Amino acid sequence: MEGRNGFGTAVLVEGESDRSALLALAGRRGLDPGALGTAIVPMGGATNVGRFVTLLGPRGAGLRLVGLCDAAEERHFARAFAGAGLGPDFHVCVADLEDELIRALGVAGVERVIAGQGRERSLRTYRRQPAHRGRPADRQLHGFMSNQKERYARAMADALAPGLVPEPLAAVLAALETAAGTV
């Protein structure tokens, strides 16, 4: 079924960093979401999911809905999808997108991504600050990237080996492949 504007599926994501990572991973698989009739929709936060489900789901544009959210926001997605009579076709990051990508790449891999962005000196400075000195390396990386999540989400997704794509992201990509009829 195709909704308005030729789209049949909407992937609801919390923000632009999620969208950036999914677009990078889709591109590496040769998938063009728009050409497949799929829109990856950043909602400006998980608390907006109910509004987007109403607008885009069965009572609105009639699109198939898939979602990606952080663990802390799962309840918002569950309530919105159930309220629209939809199954739980959303995928949950263990903590959040950045944690999934940091775990997949490992600390050294993320440090290489940051170096590739020309930001290794800034990372060293950040790590020397008293508030960050004693924190585990993965938490330091997460904090360092927090103000530029979209930039680093795309760069980390680009750096992932195909077999290392975290499960929630792989599940959303599988939904894109289903839309493409390649599965």
Side-chain angles (χ1 to χ4, degrees):
M1 174 158 111
E2 225 175 73
R4 289 178 289 216
N5 300 322
F7 289 101
T9 301
V11 177
L12 304 178
V13 298
E14 292 184 46
E16 288 293 338
S17 61
D18 306 280
R19 182 177 185 275
S20 291
L22 287 170
L23 287 172
L25 293 169
R28 289 179 48 198
R29 289 189 181 193
L31 299 171
D32 177 353
L36 300 173
T38 299
I40 300 176
V41 182
M43 302 179 300
T47 57
N48 295 321
V49 68
R51 182 169 61 98
F52 281 87
V53 167
T54 299
L55 289 170
L56 301 174
R59 296 181 189 129
L63 303 180
R64 172 182 176 227
L65 299 179
V66 177
L68 178 69
C69 67
D70 299 344
E73 311 304 344
E74 181 177 7
R75 70 187 185 285
H76 299 296
F77 275 70
R79 185 173 38 248
F81 274 59
L86 300 170
D89 197 5
F90 57 89
H91 308 280
V92 182
C93 295
V94 170
D96 60 20
L97 173 75
E98 293 75 24
D99 280 337
E100 292 282 358
L101 294 170
I102 291 168
R103 267 193 310 283
L105 284 170
V107 168
V110 176
E111 289 170 341
R112 283 191 296 277
V113 167
I114 291 169
Q117 299 285 311
R119 305 282 296 155
E120 65 269 62
R121 184 173 176 193
S122 296
L123 176 61
R124 282 194 303 275
T125 300
Y126 178 87
R127 285 177 158 167
R128 285 194 303 262
Q129 294 173 357
H132 307 298
R133 270 189 223 142
R135 296 173 69 201
D138 64 325
R139 297 288 77 205
Q140 289 176 338
L141 293 170
H142 192 282
F144 176 76
M145 294 183 292
S146 65
N147 289 331
Q148 298 178 19
K149 289 175 18 171
E150 183 179 349
R151 170 188 189 174
Y152 287 113
R154 177 173 285 282
M156 287 190 291
D158 283 337
L160 279 175
L164 294 180
V165 175
E167 188 281 324
L169 298 168
V172 173
L173 293 171
L176 293 177
E177 291 171 339
T178 300
T182 61
V183 176

